[in-house]
Amino acid sequence: MAEVVSVSMSGDIALVSIDSPPVNAMDQKVRAGLKQAFEQLRTRQGVKAIVLGCKGRTFVAGADIKEFDTGIAPPGYYEVLAAIEDSPCPVVAAVHGTALGGGMEIALACHYRVAHDGARFGLPELTLGIIPGAGGTQRLPRLIPLEAAIDLILSSKPMPAAKARELGLADAVVSGDVAEGALAFARELAARGAGPRRTRDQAVLGAENAAELFETKRAQVAKTMRNRQSPLALLDAIEAAVKLPFDQGLKAESAISDRLVPATEARALRHLFFAEREVRRIPGLSAEVKPRPVTRLGIVGAGTMGGGISMCYANAGVPVTIVDATQAALDKGMATVRKNYERSVARGSLKPEQMEQRMKLLTPSLDYAALGEADLVIEAVYENMALKKEIFAKLDAVVRKGAIIGTNTSTLDIDEIAAVTKRPEDVVGLHFFSPANVMPLLEIVHAKRTAPDVLVTALETAKQIKKTGVVAKVCYGFIGNRMMDPYAREAEHCLLEGATPEQVDGALEQFGMAMGILAVFDMAGVDIGYLTRLERKHLLPDDPTFYRPDTMLNERGWLGQKAGRGYYRYDSARKRIPDPEVVELLWAEGKRLKVEQRKPGTAEIQERCLYAMINEGARLLEEGVALRASDIDVVYTSGYGFPRYRGGPMFYADTVGLKAIYERILEFRRTLDPQYWTPAPLLEMLALAGSSFAAWQAGRGNQGAIST
Ligand SMILES: NC(=O)c1ccc[n+]([C@@H]2O[C@H](COP(=O)([O-])OP(=O)(O)OC[C@H]3O[C@@H](n4cnc5c(N)ncnc54)[C@H](O)[C@@H]3O)[C@@H](O)[C@H]2O)c1
């Protein structure tokens, strides 16, 4: 027997135990072990019931995702689960930790489920663009009401044990040792002489109103999960459970699953799954380099970002000292943090006492000396080079030796900031996104002199506060904002060409962006980009149409939501309302500047914005600002609202085909302003070679390593 699955006896109860750290994933070895165990138990004399449980911290918490690309090695899922379900004596799953995906499907194939009170059950397959493909779509609606089954899988969120008990998914909930609890449950079954209770033999619960229910759910999914195929396919699979006998339902599930696994959506989501793990691997950085501990934090600037970053650390239990220039700014910052926490309390996601604990971890101060004990100080004052230099000189004087000084600058040259200190090796960029306590991305900017252990600490601290840290090198805008620049430039230019803000944002949102870029500017403040451009005026193209709409809105004080109007008008609930005055103003300006009135349609808006962004991404790769194409994808999907189901801009480019994108860029060079449409040499090279960013990345090995 494969050693990951063992069988032992406790009286006349057999205990089948999976032991495959870290999460007992249902890989080939586990499948083979389970099949063998249940086949042997079939014929073993004197077994009255079987308990199936797991060692370690959790029940089976998923499948082996790599197998989706390599193919499923035998025995297959159906075969193994059939062996469990076919057992002639009752099988009790003992569930602790999380029963997720394939693990949940094992539990569904067992005849009874005993759950630890902290256990959770979930089928998160849609997050990978697939459906439960081991009978989950057929068995779940036989155990819990149809609508609850649909909602559980559509939400991808795990369900707590108590809820599972209420719905009938769990037969008992125990505190303490779940194996003991399940054993007692099994003994009782044995004493009663109970036989198997096979899920497949039960009727679907709530099938009476199924037609209506599926219609509602399909309409809902078309709206909330736009452009995606797996949620609709999921509904088809569950509908098969209602309409067909179990075995035929399984066949339907299997056919749907086989269609989804190799489709672009699932490939994109798998790509991100691996890309999000890969970001932590920094080529050229030795595993010997250890992080410095971060147990006390300092923040300079109690504004929007400083407050949000403080919350991240307080949430992780780290004490934070916050310094600002005035008492008024400190008071305002602390009040905002409290208000944010209060909102979570009101929503029920935080307990009042937790809020108080976190607030207690925050110490406001006007004195820089209070930062003397911090392990890491993050500067988040106004985006102004002279001010940042002044602050860094002050910090250099008070911060203890060996502490790290980070800057949250979005655009400024971190090498220049670091140079005012006597310890540039301790300086790193830590670029958070707004709202910092919510957004999962942290761009870690590796400046020229940043020490290897400072970089490792930055990656580690990202993990400490549950963020995805992606390493970039110093350049204007790093990865995210630099690629955003040409994307937004095209969006704004379209306005001068006779498109409305709704058309531009609508095209981007139809593609799947969480929010159109003009609405994003309205939300963040139209002045933010404008002020940055003012600072960099000498570097900008000599083109009166360049970001002209932004400039015009700024001149009028139409700064977006905070002003009640920007590209749109806003009502008191901050709902976007089209503004004909803006449209007229920008169209007239376009004509005055003799901009060709192309009236670009949806496809052209999408292509111009996205291909300009992708072309810039290729430049970042050439320049080594981003280490990998997949890192760019992580930045865009976790920080910029790029649709995950498209895999990020670089993965998306590969799915369109680099040749097609290259040719379209050449066409734009002929028909639009040529200064903006030079294909990046890397894009050109790969396009002409019929290659892709993925192939380029795979062939690179450790090239582009961080030099340390
Ligand atoms: N707001 C965003 O969306 C965002 C996103 C990413 C990065 N950033 C960057 O974060 C930084 C801060 O931005 P913000 O939006 O939080 O600004 P903000 O205006 O909300 O806050 C800046 C804070 O710095 C304080 N400050 C000014 N001078 C100071 C001094 N000498 N000593 C101590 N404190 C001082 C101000 O009183 C204020 O509280 C900027 O570099 C910005 O580019 C902002």
Side-chain angles (χ1 to χ4, degrees):
M1 170 166 310
E3 75 269 24
V4 293
V5 177
S6 59
V7 179
S8 59
M9 294 301 295
S10 172
D12 47 14
I13 312 292
L15 302 172
V16 177
S17 185
I18 303 172
D19 187 6
S20 181
V23 295
N24 295 311
M26 199 182 181
D27 56 15
Q28 190 276 338
K29 274 196 193 150
V30 169
R31 289 197 301 274
L34 281 175
K35 184 167 177 247
Q36 199 178 353
F38 278 87
E39 275 171 359
Q40 283 176 4
L41 286 171
R42 254 190 110 69
T43 51
R44 195 183 284 191
Q45 295 298 311
V47 177
K48 296 261 177 61
I50 301 170
V51 169
L52 170 56
C54 289
K55 294 269 193 294
R57 59 182 155 100
T58 179
F59 194 74
V60 176
D64 177 4
I65 292 170
K66 285 200 194 78
E67 274 191 315
F68 291 121
D69 291 311
T70 56
I72 309 281
Y77 287 91
Y78 287 144
E79 204 179 326
V80 175
L81 298 195
I84 296 173
E85 198 169 39
D86 284 347
S87 166
C89 63
V91 183
V92 181
V95 178
H96 73 297
T98 45
L100 288 183
M104 164 93 157
E105 290 176 295
I106 296 181
L108 297 175
C110 292
H111 305 151
Y112 298 90
R113 283 145 295 276
V114 172
H116 179 252
D117 56 11
R120 291 180 308 151
F121 294 84
L123 289 168
E125 278 78 354
L126 289 187
T127 59
L128 287 173
I130 56 174
I131 60 168
T137 64
Q138 306 303 299
R139 289 195 180 92
L140 187 61
R142 288 177 155 86
L143 290 176
I144 68 174
L146 184 58
E147 183 165 11
I150 294 173
D151 289 347
L152 180 76
I153 311 181
L154 277 183
S155 78
S156 292
K157 294 212 180 86
M159 174 189 282
K163 183 81 184 163
R165 175 79 189 96
E166 186 189 314
L167 290 172
L169 177 59
D171 298 281
V173 175
V174 298
S175 44
D177 185 354
V178 73
E180 284 299 325
L183 195 60
F185 190 91
R187 283 208 186 98
E188 217 178 287
L189 290 174
R192 277 201 274 125
R197 186 189 65 178
R198 299 189 176 104
T199 309
R200 66 168 187 238
D201 295 339
Q202 302 186 39
V204 169
L205 300 167
E208 314 79 60
N209 306 318
E212 216 173 291
L213 181 62
F214 281 107
E215 196 179 320
T216 313
K217 295 290 171 188
R218 284 197 173 96
Q220 179 192 322
V221 159
K223 224 160 83 219
T224 58
M225 300 173 96
R226 206 180 26 201
N227 297 338
R228 295 194 51 186
Q229 66 177 133
S230 58
L232 288 169
L234 168 76
L235 294 173
D236 292 345
I238 302 180
E239 198 167 31
V242 177
K243 292 189 164 160
L244 302 173
F246 182 80
D247 286 340
Q248 284 182 40
L250 269 193
K251 283 202 182 108
E253 176 192 90
S254 165
I256 292 170
S257 186
D258 287 351
R259 174 162 62 77
L260 293 177
V261 167
T264 305
E265 178 182 322
R267 283 199 300 115
L269 291 163
R270 280 202 293 283
H271 161 74
L272 285 175
F273 178 89
F274 292 115
E276 281 161 2
R277 281 147 188 81
E278 182 80 355
V279 286
R280 290 179 54 78
R281 203 185 59 79
I282 308 301
L285 198 59
S286 150
E288 305 291 297
V289 181
K290 296 289 174 249
R292 303 182 193 173
V294 176
T295 56
R296 283 172 174 277
L297 198 87
I299 294 275
V300 186
T304 312
M305 297 308 288
I309 300 167
S310 302
M311 289 175 76
C312 297
Y313 280 90
N315 296 348
V318 177
V320 185
T321 302
I322 312 172
V323 169
D324 205 304
T326 64
Q327 189 60 44
L330 278 178
D331 292 346
K332 185 168 166 231
M334 292 295 286
T336 306
V337 168
R338 180 171 278 279
K339 214 164 65 205
N340 285 336
Y341 277 137
E342 277 168 355
R343 228 174 276 144
S344 304
V345 171
R347 239 189 289 121
S349 57
L350 193 73
K351 296 198 186 103
E353 57 273 24
Q354 286 175 310
M355 169 174 95
E356 293 309 332
Q357 270 164 12
R358 291 177 196 190
M359 286 304 297
K360 263 198 212 123
L361 287 171
L362 306 178
T363 312
S365 174
L366 289 171
D367 185 4
Y368 277 74
L371 301 170
E373 291 305 305
D375 303 312
L376 166 64
V377 178
I378 302 175
E379 166 279 311
V381 301
Y382 307 130
E383 187 77 343
N384 175 293
M385 183 54 101
L387 176 63
K388 301 236 182 210
K389 282 184 171 172
E390 181 192 318
I391 305 266
F392 267 68
K394 274 192 197 163
L395 288 174
D396 196 24
V398 297
V399 167
R400 72 165 176 77
K401 191 166 169 283
I404 296 172
I405 316 179
T407 170
N408 186 42
T409 179
S410 314
T411 54
L412 299 175
D413 182 342
I414 299 175
D415 293 322
E416 196 179 330
I417 299 175
V420 305
T421 70
K422 291 188 203 71
R423 42 175 141 179
E425 65 281 2
D426 291 339
V427 175
V428 66
L430 294 173
H431 184 214
F432 288 79
F433 290 74
S434 183
N437 53 314
V438 176
M439 295 293 285
L441 178 65
L442 175 64
E443 264 185 320
I444 296 170
V445 190
H446 180 248
K448 276 204 188 80
R449 311 243 336 242
T450 305
D453 65 339
V454 171
L455 188 62
V456 172
T457 309
L459 284 160
E460 204 50 40
T461 200
K463 210 167 135 198
Q464 182 181 21
I465 54 173
K466 301 199 169 72
K467 304 243 180 262
T468 307
V470 182
V471 174
K473 287 196 195 160
V474 175
C475 73
Y476 167 74
F478 318 127
I479 296 174
N481 285 343
R482 184 160 143 195
M483 284 170 69
M484 192 46 63
D485 230 41
Y487 167 84
R489 176 198 73 217
E490 286 307 305
E492 294 212 1
H493 207 272
C494 287
L495 299 174
L496 301 176
E497 296 169 22
T500 63
E502 304 89 274
Q503 283 167 340
V504 172
D505 280 347
L508 300 174
E509 286 165 12
Q510 239 172 294
F511 172 78
M513 299 300 291
M515 201 188 247
I517 188 65
L518 304 171
V520 169
F521 285 168
D522 272 0
M523 190 179 67
V526 183
D527 49 331
I528 296 225
Y530 172 73
L531 293 173
T532 314
R533 273 187 293 282
L534 273 190
E535 279 224 6
R536 309 179 66 237
K537 216 165 174 192
H538 56 294
L539 297 169
L540 302 182
D542 178 21
D543 168 10
T545 70
F546 184 74
Y547 277 96
R548 182 70 188 143
D550 233 23
T551 307
M552 296 189 80
L553 263 59
N554 268 281
E555 285 165 357
R556 284 159 184 75
W558 299 348
L559 301 183
Q561 290 190 11
K562 63 184 168 192
R565 66 183 299 184
Y567 284 100
Y568 304 89
R569 280 177 183 269
Y570 293 88
D571 64 12
S572 55
R574 302 213 156 173
K575 188 175 166 307
R576 277 188 234 171
I577 301 164
D579 185 352
E581 200 183 340
V582 166
V583 174
E584 227 165 88
L585 176 78
L586 299 179
W587 285 4
E589 184 69 356
K591 285 178 192 145
R592 187 185 73 79
L593 292 170
K594 305 212 165 22
V595 172
E596 184 197 346
Q597 296 299 295
R598 293 168 69 97
K599 299 221 172 286
T602 301
E604 180 176 324
I605 294 168
Q606 290 172 342
E607 285 171 346
R608 282 170 60 181
C609 293
L610 291 160
Y611 294 178
M613 173 195 274
I614 290 162
N615 200 36
E616 199 65 27
R619 290 213 176 90
L620 290 181
L621 292 172
E622 278 159 22
E623 293 169 19
V625 170
L627 288 171
R628 289 167 284 251
S630 58
D631 284 11
I632 295 177
D633 291 335
V634 173
V635 166
Y636 262 81
T637 48
S638 57
Y640 288 83
F642 196 97
R644 288 183 67 82
Y645 58 82
R646 295 199 194 272
M650 308 318 270
F651 182 91
Y652 171 69
D654 281 351
T655 63
V656 174
L658 298 190
K659 182 118 191 298
I661 293 179
Y662 170 70
E663 279 166 3
R664 198 79 175 111
I665 288 178
L666 292 185
E667 198 181 323
F668 288 145
R669 184 161 69 180
R670 282 192 298 276
T671 55
L672 298 166
D673 189 341
Q675 69 174 314
Y676 300 123
W677 293 101
T678 306
L682 176 65
L683 176 70
E684 179 166 60
M685 192 258 290
L686 295 174
L688 297 179
S691 186
S692 63
F693 289 123
W696 176 78
Q697 181 172 315
R700 270 189 110 211
N702 265 7
Q703 280 179 60
I706 291 279
S707 46
T708 50

